[in-house]
Amino acid sequence: MRGTGTEPVDLFIIGGGINGCGIARDAAGRGLRVTLAEMGDLAQATSSASTKLFHGGLRYLEYFEFRLVREALEERETLLVAMPHISWPMRFVLPWQPEMRFAGDTPTARILGRLMPWMKGRRPAWLIRLALETYDRLGGRRILPPARPVDLTKDPAGAPLKPRFTRGWEYSDCWVEDSRLVVLNARDAERRGATILTRTEVVSAERQGDLWRVTTEGREGRREHLARALVNAGGPWVARIIREKLHLPTRENVRLVRGSHMVTRRLFDHDRCYFFQGKDGRIIFAIPYETDFTLIGTTDQDHRGAPDEARCTPEEQDYLCAFASDYFARPVTRDDIVWTYSGVRPLHDDGAHSATAATRDYVLSIDRQGAPLLNVFGGKITTYRRLAESAMTKLAPFFPEAGGSWTAGVALPGGDFPWDGASALAEGLLRDFPFLTDRWAMRLVRAYGTDARNLLGLARNALDLGQDFGATLTEAEVRWLMRHEYALRAEDVVWRRSKLGLRMSAEEIAALDGWMRDVSGAAGAQAAGLAGAS
Ligand SMILES: Cc1cc2nc3c(=O)[nH]c(=O)nc-3n(C[C@H](O)[C@H](O)[C@H](O)COP(=O)(O)OP(=O)(O)OC[C@H]3O[C@@H](n4cnc5c(N)ncnc54)[C@H](O)[C@@H]3O)c2cc1C
């Protein structure tokens, strides 16, 4: 196989989060030979634990992060058009009250503190209006509607809130299914020639002549790979990989900042999100989630443990409940919580004194002491495509034969339909597969887009889709996920390829896991048998 033994690949990528998979897709599409190794499941770490927004980040304007905000805002619509199944526009309602304060360390807070000391750190309404106008102008909107004031005494968005919230604004950003984004990038990279190895850890890598020799341990045992360049997209592990796997000195560091979310029963009946500002200068979102739930987050805590030990602590749950209860008329309590998740932001350490203030921008550092090594620090889901382009620009001198930028405007698998065409696609499915329910059809469209038809094949009734694992998950879908989307265990299916874990019982998930282990065991034995026979 390419990349093993004597035939080197061009790029070996460590890490199957959004940055690793985005770079793999971009590089493969430029004609480079690529291998990517992910030690667990794709998107198992930070890239499945985000707030799931393609956004500029309204609050970063207070830190004067104009480059980052502009790049992210411009990306929203480029990405929306390329993946209208897993991304869609959202409106955010920002209720205003005079007590909202800045985090004390933002440049805006410092300037206002000098010019308007009587405000004592409070955010004036005119400043929020100015920020929203800037947000609208910076991003070059073509599809998303602009910000507008909202009278919360009349608008349905005011109904679930405390009566003291009488005015606010509404603005646009986009939703994205983060873990599906990662998998679809990996799938597209593979379609363009890349090799994607999951549950395969890079245990060491060293320079050998003008190549990298990379050692992996995984499902196929211990293997050696040769590559002309190495990309370290290890997310929260990036610095650890440099020190412990590559044994190289580095002055770069990551700041690990934990962010936790909680999912509650549905707290309101409309389809808009809330942007709540706290008295501590922080903000949280409350977002309609998976039809029957509300997603609330996030927190910002420096994280000391291993990246994969991040959990939403009871203190974080209480913090999020109290924050949301300042706004909702009916208090949010721990009894409302049905699920929590937590991830670690791998931020480039810029020496900021608080976790909230640390930059969300990305830094790509290239080490040219022999075969090139590119380390990826920080980044956002929203800027992954631009990050991949920048990574390729940094690597371009080593690969003069590589093609130019190409990913803007090219659909991800299943995304070849208009940005507002999901309902029409679901109607088509209901017509041709009348046994589907409305919700089931829309779930398939939102996950697979135009591929939903390929998944359903020639089925004339639900029985044709094989075993029913619960919550409309069928054998046909699981087989699709195992064949095309690298799923191997039930948790890959119910928490990352979908969120059906919110609806399935522990027994149903265990039965699915047993079934998947049997199928992958049988497939492995068959492959071994065939290999032995050849
Ligand atoms: C709480 C929270 C909310 C966020 N919300 C948003 C948002 O709404 N919008 C937005 O744009 N961004 C958001 N972000 C930022 C975004 O999620 C991250 O920037 C992005 O997911 C980082 O991706 P990554 O590929 O660098 O890291 P990861 O997704 O962590 O991927 C790194 C991968 O490397 C693998 N790996 C590590 N070591 C090895 C090894 N030795 N061998 C093989 N594999 C290895 C890991 O298993 C992991 O899967 C949020 C982040 C957090 C934490």
Side-chain angles (χ1 to χ4, degrees):
M1 182 181 284
R2 225 165 46 191
T4 60
T6 50
E7 197 188 339
V9 291
D10 295 314
L11 282 194
F12 191 101
I13 300 172
I14 309 175
I18 189 53
N19 289 326
C21 293
I23 294 171
R25 175 186 186 231
D26 191 328
R30 291 175 197 242
L32 297 188
R33 291 160 305 154
V34 177
T35 297
L36 178 146
E38 162 54 51
M39 66 180 170
D41 182 28
L42 295 174
Q44 69 165 4
T46 317
S47 297
S48 57
S50 80
T51 311
K52 307 172 203 316
L53 301 179
F54 281 151
H55 66 157
L58 190 55
R59 75 175 191 83
Y60 308 139
L61 287 177
E62 277 181 9
Y63 291 89
F64 293 175
E65 296 236 31
F66 293 111
R67 193 209 69 79
L68 170 69
V69 176
R70 175 183 284 115
E71 181 174 293
L73 284 173
E74 287 168 356
E75 264 310 88
R76 292 177 308 184
E77 293 192 13
T78 306
L79 298 173
L80 173 65
V81 169
M83 52 193 88
H85 45 342
I86 60 165
S87 174
W88 53 91
M90 287 261 209
R91 293 291 278 173
F92 289 75
V93 175
L94 190 159
W96 183 78
Q97 61 162 336
E99 284 314 304
M100 290 156 183
R101 280 169 202 279
F102 292 109
D105 52 358
T106 74
T108 313
R110 283 197 293 272
I111 291 171
L112 256 116
R114 273 200 294 275
L115 296 180
M116 300 171 68
W118 62 91
M119 288 299 289
K120 297 199 169 78
R122 288 189 290 262
R123 279 190 187 108
W126 61 262
L127 188 74
I128 296 174
R129 200 175 57 240
L130 180 68
L132 288 170
E133 279 169 13
T134 310
Y135 203 71
D136 268 350
R137 283 212 193 100
L138 273 180
R141 281 175 312 100
R142 292 173 307 277
I143 296 174
L144 301 174
R148 66 171 186 105
V150 183
D151 177 352
L152 293 173
T153 61
K154 298 201 178 78
D155 190 292
L161 302 180
K162 290 187 167 146
R164 74 165 185 275
F165 297 102
T166 55
R167 55 186 287 213
W169 290 270
E170 185 184 290
Y171 71 96
S172 293
D173 265 325
C174 294
W175 178 261
V176 62
E177 301 286 353
D178 54 3
S179 42
R180 292 206 53 72
L181 173 70
V182 176
V183 170
L184 294 181
N185 270 276
R187 219 184 122 197
D188 203 47
E190 191 175 80
R191 213 157 69 167
R192 295 170 195 277
T195 301
I196 307 290
L197 304 172
T198 64
R199 293 182 160 88
T200 301
E201 182 178 1
V202 171
V203 290
S204 69
E206 58 184 1
R207 288 187 169 107
Q208 196 175 73
D210 49 6
L211 295 175
W212 280 95
R213 176 176 285 276
V214 183
T215 306
T216 57
E217 270 176 19
R219 287 183 287 145
E220 295 172 12
R222 200 176 176 90
R223 287 172 57 185
E224 303 279 322
H225 313 253
L226 294 176
R228 289 167 68 195
L230 185 64
V231 175
N232 173 6
W237 287 267
V238 60
R240 206 177 275 194
I241 288 172
I242 301 174
R243 282 192 298 268
E244 296 172 16
K245 310 288 181 192
L246 315 183
H247 304 289
L248 294 174
T250 176
R251 268 176 287 139
E252 312 270 14
N253 218 339
V254 276
R255 180 167 186 167
L256 300 184
V257 176
R258 188 174 69 243
S260 297
H261 290 82
M262 59 188 203
V263 175
T264 64
R265 60 170 189 84
R266 189 163 81 178
L267 299 178
F268 49 91
D269 285 333
H270 57 80
D271 61 358
R272 284 172 286 171
C273 315
Y274 291 103
F275 178 110
F276 292 152
Q277 306 173 77
K279 297 183 189 111
D280 58 357
R282 294 200 62 261
I283 63 110
I284 61 166
F285 295 102
I287 302 175
Y289 189 57
E290 295 284 323
T291 315
D292 298 320
F293 305 95
T294 301
L295 175 66
I296 300 179
T298 170
T299 57
D300 266 323
Q301 299 265 310
D302 278 312
H303 182 74
R304 313 255 171 248
D308 48 5
E309 284 167 4
R311 300 285 177 275
C312 181
T313 63
E315 293 73 31
E316 287 177 296
Q317 293 177 29
D318 288 343
Y319 171 83
L320 291 174
C321 286
F323 203 140
S325 299
D326 268 352
Y327 281 83
F328 287 119
R330 184 187 167 288
V332 183
T333 70
R334 279 207 212 170
D335 290 340
D336 293 313
I337 302 174
V338 295
W339 184 53
T340 64
Y341 64 85
S342 196
V344 178
R345 299 177 182 86
L347 305 181
H348 190 248
D349 196 350
D350 60 354
H353 82 262
S354 83
T356 306
T359 183
R360 267 54 175 169
D361 213 345
Y362 57 81
V363 172
L364 302 174
S365 80
I366 190 140
D367 169 349
R368 301 159 189 265
Q369 312 287 315
L373 162 68
L374 182 81
N375 295 303
V376 177
F377 293 90
K380 290 160 60 71
I381 296 265
T382 315
T383 47
Y384 87 93
R385 195 194 63 80
R386 299 285 288 265
L387 183 151
E389 281 185 346
S390 304
M392 295 315 298
T393 304
K394 291 249 178 204
L395 290 166
F398 307 96
F399 299 104
E401 72 280 17
S405 302
W406 64 275
T407 51
V410 178
L412 282 177
D416 49 342
F417 66 98
W419 71 268
D420 55 354
S423 299
L425 217 52
E427 279 161 27
L429 280 190
L430 285 166
R431 223 175 18 248
D432 297 341
F433 302 91
F435 59 88
L436 296 176
T437 60
D438 290 3
R439 254 198 197 200
W440 189 359
M442 194 44 118
R443 181 178 77 71
L444 294 177
V445 166
R446 283 297 181 206
Y448 307 104
T450 51
D451 271 336
R453 278 179 182 277
N454 299 329
L455 186 156
L456 293 167
L458 299 174
R460 286 155 170 242
N461 55 52
L463 287 179
D464 288 343
L465 298 174
Q467 191 166 334
D468 175 0
F469 293 103
T472 68
L473 181 68
T474 62
E475 184 177 332
E477 186 171 353
V478 178
R479 283 192 188 277
W480 173 277
L481 292 172
M482 294 180 79
R483 194 170 305 137
H484 300 290
E485 297 198 5
Y486 319 93
L488 277 168
R489 297 284 173 266
E491 62 173 290
D492 308 349
V493 171
V494 305
W495 294 119
R496 285 181 288 273
R497 306 306 180 275
S498 76
K499 290 292 179 289
L500 290 172
L502 289 168
R503 301 177 193 284
M504 291 171 69
S505 67
E507 292 73 29
E508 285 172 330
I509 295 172
L512 170 66
D513 201 52
W515 186 90
M516 290 178 72
R517 281 173 194 269
D518 287 349
V519 169
S520 52
Q526 198 181 20
L530 287 175
S534 66

